[in-house]
Amino acid sequence: MEVVFDLGNVLFEWNPRQLVESLFPSELEQEQALQNIICHRDWQLLDRGTLTLKDAISRAGARCSLGADKIARVYEETAKHLFPIREMFDVVKDLSGRGYRLFVLSNLQRHTYDYLAAAHDIWDCFAGIVISSHVNAIKPEPEIYEYLIDKYEIIPGNAVFLDDIKVNIDAAQGLGLNTIFVQSPSQCRKDLCQMLGI
């Protein structure tokens, strides 16, 4: 069986509120950053790769009073606040060592992936990596799953997809993939080992 990993809250811890609290002492600024940057539709357009970072900063500046420098810092610090989940890194390395074909399928902005790719040594464990901003499609759209399946000749019934967001899991199931809804590293590891019979 082949294994497809999401990144955020599967291999890397991601807590947006923790990010903005680390950047801004003011609760007002924290909420502005959350609502006008991270929770805004432009965040998804960056994930999709159809909006440039420069334009995203400019557009956020027109929506709120944070200023371009502070807005840019939110984007810059995002990758640095994706912290490796060591237990899951160990799972990846163990499965790779056992000869499993492993993949990444993640919604991620291009600059964030570039940082993670340079900062961590996990990537050689994967037979393929599909990042939303590289293919102009995002989960849960069927197109991004189909891209992964077609590009790497994956048989859906012989693969398991791990994600922490239910709609992404539902979309994968709709295409015939086995799935694990990730709620904690220990639960994920247990469920995955059970599914793989190891």
Side-chain angles (χ1 to χ4, degrees):
M1 184 169 280
E2 299 171 336
V3 186
V4 183
F5 293 86
D6 178 36
L7 293 180
N9 290 325
V10 176
L11 296 182
F12 292 88
E13 179 186 347
W14 166 234
N15 185 329
R17 184 163 290 279
Q18 184 182 74
L19 167 62
V20 299
E21 287 176 354
S22 76
L23 294 177
F24 306 113
S26 156
E27 288 188 12
L28 177 61
E29 287 187 322
Q30 292 170 18
E31 289 305 315
Q32 283 200 52
L34 282 172
Q35 297 306 317
N36 292 287
I37 303 173
I38 297 172
C39 295
H40 193 271
R41 182 173 177 271
D42 281 358
W43 190 270
Q44 289 189 327
L45 295 180
L46 278 167
D47 278 353
R48 188 187 291 279
T50 54
L51 180 67
T52 67
L53 183 57
K54 180 180 178 181
D55 286 346
I57 293 169
S58 174
R59 286 160 58 142
R63 290 193 296 270
C64 68
S65 60
L66 287 175
D69 289 346
K70 289 183 177 180
I71 292 166
R73 193 152 177 243
V74 174
Y75 289 116
E76 178 187 333
E77 292 293 321
T78 294
K80 299 174 187 176
H81 279 76
L82 282 159
F83 303 113
I85 301 173
R86 293 298 172 191
E87 182 176 352
M88 292 305 297
F89 270 42
D90 289 344
V91 168
V92 168
K93 291 174 181 177
D94 178 52
L95 293 179
S96 176
R98 292 171 183 261
Y100 284 91
R101 274 215 319 166
L102 310 178
F103 301 91
V104 166
L105 179 64
S106 184
N107 289 351
L108 207 63
Q109 295 163 17
R110 188 176 290 271
H111 61 279
T112 302
Y113 175 72
D114 289 346
Y115 176 91
L116 295 179
H120 301 284
D121 64 356
I122 196 78
W123 311 109
D124 287 346
C125 294
F126 297 102
I129 298 171
V130 174
I131 301 298
S132 60
S133 55
H134 297 178
V135 298
N136 301 135
I138 60 173
K139 296 177 296 181
E141 296 167 352
E143 290 81 4
I144 193 167
Y145 301 88
E146 291 166 350
Y147 180 90
L148 174 81
I149 290 166
D150 293 344
K151 181 175 177 63
Y152 296 106
E153 299 181 342
I154 294 171
I155 300 170
N158 193 43
V160 55
F161 171 65
L162 285 61
D163 202 293
D164 66 310
I165 297 176
K166 188 64 167 61
V167 292
N168 295 343
I169 289 289
D170 293 343
Q173 289 174 347
L175 291 168
L177 290 155
N178 299 289
T179 60
I180 294 174
F181 180 40
V182 178
Q183 296 171 291
S184 73
S186 57
Q187 163 262 329
C188 178
R189 183 171 197 156
K190 179 181 176 183
D191 290 352
L192 184 56
C193 288
Q194 185 174 18
M195 187 172 286
L196 298 177
I198 59 175

